Amino acid sequence: QSLTTMAEAQNKRNPALAWIGGIFLGALFAASIFWWLTRSSSAPAAMHFSAVTSFAGVQAQPALSPDGHSVAFVSNRDGSYNIYVGLVRGGELVQVTHGSAMKSHPSWSPDGSTLAYAQLNDSGIMDVWAVSALGGSPRKLLLGANDPTWTPDGRSLVYLNMTDGALWTSGVAGDNAHLL
């Protein structure tokens, strides 16, 4: 009688094992389909390159505008290191800064209207300036500062203080400067 009871118990377990096995195989099949679909749809898109500049000389320190349509960069195209803005897809360049003092590290404001940059002063130290992204009259913001970067909200600048080598922040007019 014990052999009969064991056979009955084994027959009762087999349907449960069959269900569990079926669920496992179904999950494995679904995971395989999911993997195949995501693998084929995540193939990298073809990259397209186009020249923004095509003149001799240095073109360096590119900064892409927030909308991705323009790029600001430093060039010695006119014999001095100034900042230019060009469309990513090509076209006419706009010279944003002028003069013989070396400019560097352009940085776009989050709304794309203004560029902050560093400019070498007569003492050989960098200062931070700002100018409209379309050009115009630049204004000095910070003395003894370099590598300006806008905060995402557009209310502050983060920069390297040339006096102590530390990172500082200030308002966009150069006000309320303090060590980070």
Side-chain angles (χ1 to χ4, degrees):
Q1 185 175 13
S2 68
L3 286 177
T4 306
T5 308
M6 289 173 82
E8 288 173 0
Q10 192 174 22
N11 285 338
K12 288 181 183 177
R13 274 193 230 135
N14 284 344
L17 285 175
W19 276 100
I20 292 171
I23 291 171
F24 176 76
L25 288 175
L28 184 62
F29 179 72
S32 298
I33 294 294
F34 177 77
W35 173 81
W36 183 80
L37 288 175
T38 57
R39 179 191 56 82
S40 62
S41 67
S42 64
M47 296 179 76
H48 301 282
F49 297 93
S50 60
V52 176
T53 64
S54 61
F55 48 84
V58 173
Q59 295 108 67
Q61 301 173 351
L64 190 62
S65 65
D67 66 6
H69 293 142
S70 301
V71 62
F73 61 95
V74 176
S75 176
N76 66 348
R77 174 184 186 176
D78 67 349
S80 298
Y81 288 93
N82 278 295
I83 296 177
Y84 291 79
V85 172
L87 295 174
V88 171
R89 296 191 183 260
E92 293 297 314
L93 296 175
V94 175
Q95 185 175 350
V96 178
T97 64
H98 301 274
S100 60
M102 184 181 77
K103 285 81 168 180
S104 68
H105 302 95
S107 175
W108 291 88
S109 63
D111 67 3
S113 67
T114 307
L115 289 165
Y117 62 94
Q119 179 174 309
L120 192 64
N121 65 28
D122 292 337
S123 300
I125 299 172
M126 300 301 261
D127 298 325
V128 169
W129 292 68
V131 68
S132 166
L134 299 175
S137 297
R139 61 194 184 283
K140 190 184 300 186
L141 302 179
L142 299 158
L143 300 174
N146 198 358
D147 298 327
T149 301
W150 296 82
T151 58
D153 64 8
R155 294 188 211 169
S156 302
L157 289 169
V158 176
Y159 59 93
L160 175 66
N161 184 311
M162 301 300 288
T163 305
D164 61 9
L167 293 178
W168 284 60
T169 186
S170 75
V172 294
D175 57 328
N176 301 321
H178 62 276
L179 178 68
L180 279 181

